[in-house]
Amino acid sequence: MSIATSALGFPRIGPRRELKSALESTWSGKTDSAALLAAAKDIRAANWLRQKKLGLSIIASNDFSLYDQVLDTSVMTGAVPAIYGWKGGDVPLDVYFAMARGAEGISTVCEHGHVHADSHTVGGVPAMEMTKWFDTNYHYIVPEFTADQRFSLSSSKPVDEFLEAKALGVHTRPVLVGPVTFLKLGKAKTGDFDTLSLLTRLLPVYAEILQKLHEAGADWVQIDEPVMVLDLSDTERAALKAAYAELVKAAPALKILVATYFGALDDNLDTAVALPVAGLHIDLKRGSSQIDAVLKKAPKELVLSLGVIDGRNVWRAHLDAVLDRIEPVVKARGEDRVIISTSCSLLHTPIDLEQETRLDFDVKSWLAFAVQKIEELNVLSRALSHGKKDVASALEASSRAAATRRTSPLIHDPKVQARLSSLTPAMTKRAPFSLRREAQRQAFHLPAFPTTTIGSFPQTSDVRKARSANAKGEITAAQYDEFLKSATKDAIRWQEEIGLDVLVHGEFERNDMVQYFGEQLSGYAFTQHGWVQSFGSRYVRPPIIFGDVSRPKPMTVSWSSYAQSLTSRPMKGMLTGPVTMLFWSFVRDDIPRSETCRQIALAIRDEVNDLEAAGITMIQIDEAAFREGLPLKKSGWKDYLDWAVECFRLTSSGVKPTTQIHTHMCYSEFNDIIAAIGAMDADVISIETSRSQMELLDAFKSYKYPNEIGPGVYDIHSPRVPATEEMSALLNLASTRLAPDQLWVNPDCGLKTRGWAEVKPALVNMVEAAKKLRETV
Ligand code: GLN
Ligand code: ZN
């Protein structure tokens, strides 16, 4: 016997995205739900058997989901909003998917898996709101509660899946989203009440499911309470205590492990160690410094699950270093009081590195995906229980990888480092906005309420087909180039025709706003199969930033120059900002994120300067992920915002006062970052606002934001074409909050997911709305 190992959850999408195929084929009516359920069952079986074969001793069940584990919890507890027409009993599959996607099943999200706000379908029943799971790129379906909410056990999924695994000979530890986390992540739909006030009504459902799991043969259950790494109030801490006191009573023979992750417990540590439960999981990757405090305070009998293998990133662990840290813990607590674990569920990592055949040999040797991480746990456990000799070659390989990573010229670029150490404050300074504004007015002579778009135009099937034909070598590079040029030319002609003031080239050449740049930068790697679930059946393949980032050559200059050569109107150069490049990638863990961000900032700064030199007079630097970078605890905000703002300014400050810097952020909560946006000091910012009736401009108003703003007047998440009057009304609302000469007129976000049939009339109406408004001033 070796010391126990566990993964808090395993990726559910299947090594070849089997779940996506099964879901989408069922949604489109090609196959029936029985086929979907069978495919899901196969994935679960394969996952359990694989983990067992890898030697993992504690394997999770109920970590699988057809869509999302938080939605599963809403369904399990009967928290199904009335509009879905559920009448009690087990919640049927079509109700489940209606909650996830709306009854029409039209997905209305604008990015490839990046959701910035709630998505709703048009007509039929809307989908429930979706938002980010803590600071990950995974999105959950936000639970909705009414003040008179009733809960009832409405799904036997946790028990069914436990029994399913048992039948395969795998004794699992079922996972549940904890009651406090569930309520805290939910939203009060009617009236203004604290969702935690529903706890006493909710707990009997949890008690029932725990009893059923016990009857089914479970001895341990993992209850996830990641809210314990957030700033909690005394009431919230009291709720945790009350909840677990009751749950332990409900199923006294069942051992509960409370799992906390994505950070350290800090102020909630006393609460955590006082919970009357049998086990506590702590994140020692993000919260490595908490180990001493936890050891000091944890009662002797408490089983500690040590999250030492990173569930959020793709790096191979340096096992010897990990052993040095945990050996004393095991000694102090005893082998049967410690579990060696992943820091969080492996849901956030790709599945199997062995599927990657094109990665650089060295880069590959530095990585570990879900399967490899479980192998690492195995090595750790054997080393702890049987001595290092037992796993000498594995430890050696891990140390060798760590050593080459520390010194590899693939990673460490002296030129990048020299540049970083020679940064000066002047590099983040531009002339004051008032001067720039004057200079730009002289240079551009734009009308009042200038009209523009955010960058991308529809990525129609033609565009996608041409891209894939080019990738497969079915057309020549020259043919592909011709195709892109003609698409760009058409888009420019059309923008001129309808009278837009500031044009874009349409981004037809881009597969994705991060990947397109990552592929052209040094220090970035891309996988073939490294998919990670973003939400439902949408998966993303985040690039891996493995080394010092630099720009070997200009990335967008030829496209922007070509586009500008076709028109006399200003053509915005279009770039993705450093913060967004950082957050939508897997990031190095050997240097601070801020440092990687500065490297990217310098690379993009070069591009900005080259665009200017090529005659591009307006440059947009998109920072779609700026807000989501905010740390989970408020105490970390200032530091983050300081370096994030600095990186943006580093990117944007190398140009003349007459060059107009735009930025774009596609979401609608600015209160927490308004001062940072002010400090970014972009000449123009475009933001998402159409669905909030311009209310979020209040943040800009009370901050007295001086620069120019384009509040989105056209909701691009929906195929609906907004009428001129609607957009005029929104613009009028905007002018009550901001000075008319600050305002631009544009859609909420890029138009790549829309069709030309909607985009054309919508933009014609938008230009019309701006013209009408000009007549009134
Ligand atoms: N320029 C990008 C586009 O229009 C911006 C996308 C985004 O912010 N999500 O597609
Ligand atoms: Zn956007």
Side-chain angles (χ1 to χ4, degrees):
M1 274 300 283
S2 302
I3 194 164
T5 52
S6 81
L8 298 194
F10 195 78
R12 53 178 74 127
I13 62 182
R16 293 278 165 162
R17 293 183 289 160
E18 288 83 351
L19 184 59
K20 181 185 181 74
S21 322
L23 282 168
E24 289 176 356
S25 140
T26 301
W27 290 339
S28 69
K30 270 194 223 118
T31 46
D32 61 7
S33 57
L36 170 62
L37 297 180
K41 193 170 172 185
D42 286 346
I43 294 174
R44 289 192 294 268
N47 282 353
W48 288 320
L49 294 172
R50 187 164 199 182
Q51 292 177 85
K52 189 173 174 183
K53 204 167 152 209
L54 288 166
L56 191 68
S57 47
I58 302 173
I59 297 172
S61 61
N62 201 41
D63 55 339
F64 179 84
S65 175
L66 284 172
Y67 203 93
D68 160 44
Q69 71 272 13
V70 182
L71 176 61
D72 292 349
T73 312
S74 294
V75 160
M76 179 185 88
T77 57
V80 179
I83 51 162
Y84 299 102
W86 172 64
K87 298 279 179 301
D90 272 10
V91 174
L93 205 55
D94 56 340
V95 171
Y96 179 85
F97 285 133
M99 292 165 79
R101 319 172 58 234
E104 312 280 71
I106 310 164
S107 180
T108 54
V109 179
C110 81
E111 276 297 311
H112 309 330
H114 302 308
V115 189
H116 310 295
D118 41 337
S119 69
H120 286 284
T121 58
V122 184
V125 192
M128 289 171 75
E129 203 176 291
M130 182 157 48
T131 195
K132 272 174 185 280
W133 174 247
F134 297 85
D135 59 354
T136 71
N137 264 325
Y138 175 84
H139 302 78
Y140 68 91
I141 302 282
V142 180
E144 286 178 15
F145 306 118
T146 54
D148 62 353
Q149 185 70 49
R150 292 277 168 271
F151 298 100
S152 61
L153 186 59
S154 311
S155 150
S156 52
K157 178 177 180 291
V159 179
D160 298 345
E161 292 182 9
F162 175 79
L163 292 172
E164 203 178 291
K166 196 170 158 191
L168 292 167
V170 185
H171 181 82
T172 55
R173 184 174 75 188
V175 189
L176 299 172
V177 174
V180 177
T181 293
F182 176 60
L183 289 175
K184 205 169 139 61
L185 294 184
K187 211 165 130 166
K189 237 357 206 207
T190 49
D192 189 18
F193 63 95
D194 181 358
T195 54
L196 266 190
S197 65
L198 302 172
L199 186 63
T200 43
R201 280 183 240 162
L202 175 65
L203 287 176
V205 180
Y206 273 82
E208 206 179 331
I209 196 75
L210 292 181
Q211 281 150 11
K212 291 209 150 100
L213 284 169
H214 175 60
E215 281 157 27
D219 49 0
W220 277 90
V221 59
Q222 167 190 330
I223 306 188
D224 287 1
E225 292 287 9
V227 290
M228 293 193 80
V229 309
L230 305 180
D231 300 309
L232 293 183
S233 65
D234 288 343
T235 325
E236 289 164 336
R237 291 193 195 109
L240 280 158
K241 278 194 188 156
Y244 286 89
E246 191 161 331
L247 293 184
V248 164
K249 249 190 278 154
L254 182 65
K255 293 192 189 121
I256 296 176
L257 173 120
V258 169
T260 68
Y261 44 81
F262 301 152
L265 286 161
D266 293 336
D267 293 347
N268 303 322
L269 175 58
D270 288 332
T271 307
V273 293
L275 297 178
V277 293
L280 175 69
H281 173 86
I282 51 174
D283 185 338
L284 290 181
K285 196 64 204 173
R286 286 271 189 101
S288 57
S289 57
Q290 64 180 333
I291 185 65
D292 294 335
V294 173
L295 278 182
K296 206 150 86 208
K297 295 197 162 164
K300 255 216 321 280
E301 359 22 280
L302 188 68
V303 171
L304 281 185
S305 168
L306 311 176
V308 287
I309 295 294
D310 197 349
R312 288 287 297 274
N313 215 331
V314 290
W315 303 106
R316 184 173 185 170
H318 184 192
L319 296 175
D320 262 323
V322 176
L323 282 172
D324 287 347
R325 282 173 44 220
I326 56 178
E327 250 162 1
V329 183
V330 176
K331 277 222 179 75
R333 313 274 311 173
E335 285 203 9
D336 52 347
R337 292 271 185 280
V338 173
I339 300 169
I340 310 298
S341 180
T342 57
S343 61
C344 59
S345 168
L346 294 171
L347 177 67
H348 311 290
T349 60
I351 298 178
D352 187 6
L353 185 63
E354 283 318 309
Q355 290 193 98
E356 303 302 324
T357 54
R358 293 192 205 143
L359 282 173
D360 174 274
F361 179 82
D362 281 335
V363 173
K364 192 170 168 183
S365 78
W366 300 323
L367 301 176
F369 293 177
V371 165
Q372 288 71 37
K373 286 172 188 288
I374 293 178
E375 287 166 349
E376 293 184 320
L377 290 170
N378 206 0
V379 175
L380 290 173
S381 146
R382 284 170 53 193
L384 287 165
S385 296
H386 309 294
K388 289 186 177 183
K389 269 209 202 91
D390 202 53
V391 283
S393 66
L395 290 179
E396 213 179 273
S398 156
S399 295
R400 214 179 314 121
T404 58
R405 211 182 145 199
R406 237 185 337 263
T407 52
S408 168
L410 283 178
I411 297 184
H412 308 279
D413 181 343
K415 276 203 246 70
V416 174
Q417 281 153 24
R419 236 186 132 189
L420 269 191
S421 55
S422 66
L423 296 184
T424 61
M427 290 171 79
T428 51
K429 278 212 182 71
R430 295 190 76 194
F433 175 68
S434 53
L435 287 182
R436 293 183 339 245
R437 179 182 218 185
E438 225 11 74
Q440 291 167 16
R441 294 217 157 150
Q442 307 275 336
F444 296 119
H445 297 294
L446 292 171
F449 309 106
T451 51
T452 191
T453 60
I454 306 305
S456 57
F457 274 126
Q459 291 257 335
T460 55
S461 59
D462 279 9
V463 176
R464 286 197 303 267
K465 266 190 219 137
R467 180 178 307 133
S468 104
N470 175 53
K472 290 191 195 124
E474 290 162 11
I475 55 173
T476 63
Q479 281 169 318
Y480 183 50
D481 206 55
E482 247 348 278
F483 170 86
L484 293 174
K485 277 190 169 148
S486 102
T488 306
K489 195 172 190 167
D490 291 349
I492 292 171
R493 285 288 157 271
W494 180 77
Q495 292 172 80
E496 285 184 323
E497 223 170 272
I498 69 161
L500 281 156
D501 302 303
V502 170
L503 311 194
V504 296
H505 74 282
E507 301 182 26
F508 301 109
E509 76 286 8
R510 301 186 187 178
N511 39 16
D512 172 274
M513 62 186 286
V514 170
Q515 189 174 346
Y516 181 74
F517 292 95
E519 282 173 348
Q520 302 186 68
L521 291 168
S522 304
Y524 267 84
F526 291 83
T527 63
Q528 295 157 269
H529 304 284
W531 297 99
V532 177
Q533 186 178 24
S534 172
F535 68 95
S537 68
R538 294 275 200 122
Y539 312 152
V540 291
R541 230 174 351 172
I544 298 172
I545 306 177
F546 66 86
D548 287 339
V549 175
S550 62
R551 186 195 70 146
K553 56 178 200 292
M555 304 183 283
T556 63
V557 175
S558 64
W559 277 114
S560 285
S561 314
Y562 169 71
Q564 183 67 80
S565 76
L566 299 174
T567 180
S568 55
R569 302 191 187 195
M571 170 67 58
K572 281 192 283 189
M574 201 54 67
L575 303 172
T576 300
V579 179
T580 302
M581 291 294 296
L582 185 82
F583 279 100
W584 288 352
S585 306
F586 284 117
V587 182
R588 290 170 72 169
D589 62 353
D590 55 341
I591 57 173
R593 285 186 312 168
S594 54
E595 202 172 317
T596 301
C597 199
R598 277 186 198 103
Q599 298 179 356
I600 305 172
L602 282 173
I604 305 197
R605 175 186 173 99
D606 293 345
E607 187 73 13
V608 170
N609 296 352
D610 283 351
L611 282 169
E612 180 186 69
I616 306 300
T617 52
M618 293 187 182
I619 299 163
Q620 180 173 313
I621 305 164
D622 292 325
E623 281 294 20
F626 194 88
R627 189 182 192 288
E628 69 189 53
L630 276 180
L632 292 173
K633 284 194 184 92
K634 277 220 165 99
S635 56
W637 286 13
K638 186 181 174 317
D639 176 56
Y640 161 69
L641 290 171
D642 282 351
W643 63 252
V645 167
E646 182 207 319
C647 286
F648 182 86
R649 295 182 62 124
L650 191 55
T651 306
S652 61
S653 301
V655 291
K656 296 184 287 210
T658 43
T659 296
Q660 191 168 65
I661 296 290
H662 290 235
T663 189
H664 165 69
M665 296 184 183
C666 34
Y667 37 79
S668 36
E669 290 151 54
F670 289 99
N671 286 313
D672 296 333
I673 56 166
I674 185 69
I677 291 180
M680 283 166 72
D681 194 23
D683 297 305
V684 186
I685 181 172
S686 59
I687 55 178
E688 173 178 325
T689 27
S690 69
R691 278 175 299 175
S692 71
Q693 293 298 309
M694 301 289 147
E695 270 169 26
L696 66 97
L697 288 182
D698 289 342
F700 289 84
K701 183 182 176 184
S702 47
Y703 180 75
K704 300 199 172 69
Y705 185 76
N707 303 17
E708 301 187 356
I709 312 185
V713 290
Y714 159 20
D715 175 11
I716 60 92
H717 303 83
S718 149
R720 210 175 62 89
V721 173
T724 305
E725 296 70 41
E726 259 174 69
M727 292 192 266
S728 299
L730 286 173
L731 285 169
N732 283 325
L733 281 175
S735 9
T736 62
R737 292 176 164 87
L738 296 163
D741 69 350
Q742 277 180 291
L743 286 175
W744 283 62
V745 178
N746 50 257
D748 272 341
C749 191
L751 297 161
K752 68 169 151 240
T753 57
R754 299 268 65 94
W756 280 109
E758 313 127 38
V759 163
K760 287 192 170 175
L763 290 182
V764 167
N765 291 352
M766 188 187 87
V767 171
E768 188 56 31
K771 284 192 179 143
K772 287 224 170 93
L773 196 61
R774 280 171 205 157
E775 287 161 17
T776 67
V777 289

